[in-house]
Amino acid sequence: MERINEYLDQCFNAYVRNEELDNLKEEILANATEHFADCINHGESKEEAEATVMDSLGDIPSLLTEIGAVKKDEEPAQFDPFGTDMFQGFSGSLNNMFNSLFQTSSKNGTRAETYNDIVSVNIQGFSVDIHVKPSTDDLLHVEAEGNLDQISMKAERGLLKIVEEASAKKLFHNGMDLTLELPVHLQAIDVQVVSGDLDLEDVSLESLRFQSTSGDLSIKNAAVNDLAIRTASGDADLNLISVNRLYAELASGDVDLVCEKAGSVACSCQSGDINGVFKSSFDSIGFKTVSGDVALKMKAKEPVQTDLNTVFGTIDSRTASTEGGKEVIIRTVSGDISVR
């Protein structure tokens, strides 16, 4: 096993260390050790067993690059899935919020506001649960419950900015609940929270962006043209009428996606499962996990060109791959792949 350990050390030491990579290395080593023992039990010498296992490991550096590991001599890429700068500076906002963790409010209650001619909403906060539903009129209705002296709302040039403000002089923080009733002309929502969930139902949006350190996203019966999701610890439960571009990046969490009509869909999880159901047409699908299973169901009988790969899992595909068909790419390290 000495050659195998040295090879894994050499591969992984070239990348920035984090919990996900440590877990991946341990999992690969555990599988390699089990494979080595099987080779010995089948009569191979130690040298032959090492060679067999080394061949089975494949190109580890390419695997690490594919799952998004960052080399020590490289800067991490800016998260910008749709070519905009909407999320730039988000990590700095999170740091500021964490620095103001210990706070409280002397005012608790409900604040209701109504806005006209708002086309975009930006929400920033530490602990905010957000509920979004359609408006019954042509106005944007916002209701905030919780620490009222810690929230500001400012409307300017079609943008409503809602910020849960922090005060380092306070001791505890009780969180905030926001309810938004959206008029049909509202186009975009951008949410940046440290801890908090977003649930959205029966609305249509041009753009929805959700970033949270610890929070879940739930979408029901909605149409979104551009949807971008990034969470460190949270699940994405998505039931969409249509989506043109979907980008989801989860560190620890599951993606459950049901979609009537889709364009380009890309979902990745470090530790979590991806379950996708596509009821009609789509342009392309890309699912990637490190430690998790992928299950894909395509109800429309369109030609697809599949590219399926797992390092230690199994592949069960009952869909024929047709050259020139709609692209389906699925990658896992230690998970199973099912395609129907």
Side-chain angles (χ1 to χ4, degrees):
M1 289 290 293
E2 184 176 349
R3 283 181 57 202
I4 298 167
N5 282 299
E6 288 178 354
Y7 174 64
L8 292 178
D9 287 341
Q10 180 182 2
C11 293
F12 280 86
N13 288 344
Y15 293 83
V16 177
R17 183 174 176 177
N18 56 44
E19 184 178 354
E20 287 76 24
L21 284 190
D22 288 344
N23 291 339
L24 175 59
K25 182 181 178 182
E26 290 178 6
E27 190 158 1
I28 293 176
L29 182 59
N31 281 280
T33 302
E34 184 178 348
H35 191 184
F36 180 84
D38 287 341
C39 291
I40 295 296
N41 291 335
H42 284 82
E44 293 187 21
S45 67
K46 291 184 178 180
E47 291 76 14
E48 290 171 335
E50 278 190 335
T52 301
V53 174
M54 289 287 290
D55 288 341
S56 70
L57 289 176
D59 189 352
I60 298 294
S62 295
L63 170 65
L64 295 175
T65 299
E66 189 172 333
I67 66 174
V70 179
K71 286 189 174 181
K72 290 181 178 177
D73 57 352
E74 293 179 354
E75 290 292 327
Q78 175 68 38
F79 173 64
D80 194 10
F82 304 135
T84 69
D85 59 358
M86 186 169 288
F87 287 141
Q88 290 180 357
F90 175 61
S91 60
S93 300
L94 289 185
N95 288 335
N96 291 334
M97 294 173 194
F98 273 120
N99 290 336
S100 304
L101 171 62
F102 300 106
Q103 49 188 320
T104 189
S105 174
S106 58
K107 298 180 181 179
N108 290 284
T110 301
R111 173 182 173 182
E113 302 283 351
T114 301
Y115 298 91
N116 190 18
D117 297 328
I118 296 295
V119 296
S120 180
V121 177
N122 176 264
I123 302 171
Q124 299 179 19
F126 180 82
S127 178
V128 184
D129 288 326
I130 305 162
H131 317 278
V132 179
K133 57 186 179 180
S135 174
T136 57
D137 54 29
D138 229 11
L139 301 173
L140 169 63
H141 300 275
V142 181
E143 183 176 277
E145 295 185 31
N147 305 313
L148 298 183
D149 61 343
Q150 292 175 194
I151 191 167
S152 68
M153 303 184 194
K154 183 178 180 181
E156 185 176 10
R157 298 179 182 179
L159 169 65
L160 173 63
K161 191 169 185 178
I162 303 173
V163 179
E164 184 194 22
E165 298 176 328
S167 172
K169 297 179 180 179
K170 298 177 180 179
L171 290 176
F172 300 103
H173 182 271
N174 298 324
M176 182 78 61
D177 280 333
L178 278 177
T179 299
L180 281 68
E181 297 182 12
L182 306 187
V184 293
H185 62 265
L186 196 141
Q187 299 178 2
I189 298 178
D190 177 17
V191 176
Q192 304 167 1
V193 294
V194 175
S195 173
D197 301 331
L198 169 63
D199 63 78
L200 182 145
E201 187 170 2
D202 297 326
V203 298
S204 178
L205 290 169
E206 178 66 24
S207 173
L208 173 62
R209 284 157 166 77
F210 176 70
Q211 288 208 31
S212 175
T213 301
S214 175
D216 298 330
L217 173 63
S218 174
I219 298 178
K220 297 178 182 178
N221 195 40
V224 184
N225 188 46
D226 284 346
L227 174 57
I229 305 161
R230 196 178 194 184
T231 74
S233 175
D235 299 324
D237 186 2
L238 313 174
N239 194 320
L240 294 161
I241 298 172
S242 65
V243 62
N244 184 35
R245 289 179 292 183
L246 166 58
Y247 179 94
E249 182 181 331
L250 287 73
S252 175
D254 299 328
V255 176
D256 287 295
L257 169 64
V258 177
C259 191
E260 295 282 349
K261 183 179 180 181
S264 174
V265 175
C267 300
S268 65
C269 300
Q270 291 293 318
S271 175
D273 299 330
I274 301 176
N275 296 295
V277 177
F278 292 81
K279 295 184 176 180
S280 60
S281 63
F282 62 87
D283 291 338
S284 65
I285 297 172
F287 289 160
K288 180 174 65 176
T289 73
V290 176
S291 177
D293 299 328
V294 177
L296 172 63
K297 293 182 180 180
M298 299 169 290
K299 295 191 175 182
K301 302 303 180 183
E302 294 184 288
V304 295
Q305 183 170 346
T306 59
D307 182 358
L308 315 176
N309 186 269
T310 180
V311 179
F312 299 114
T314 61
I315 297 176
D316 179 12
S317 177
R318 301 182 187 179
T319 300
S321 182
T322 304
E323 187 173 354
K326 300 294 182 67
E327 187 177 60
V328 175
I329 300 174
I330 301 177
R331 298 280 189 274
T332 75
V333 177
S334 60
D336 298 330
I337 298 172
S338 172
V339 178
R340 300 288 187 269

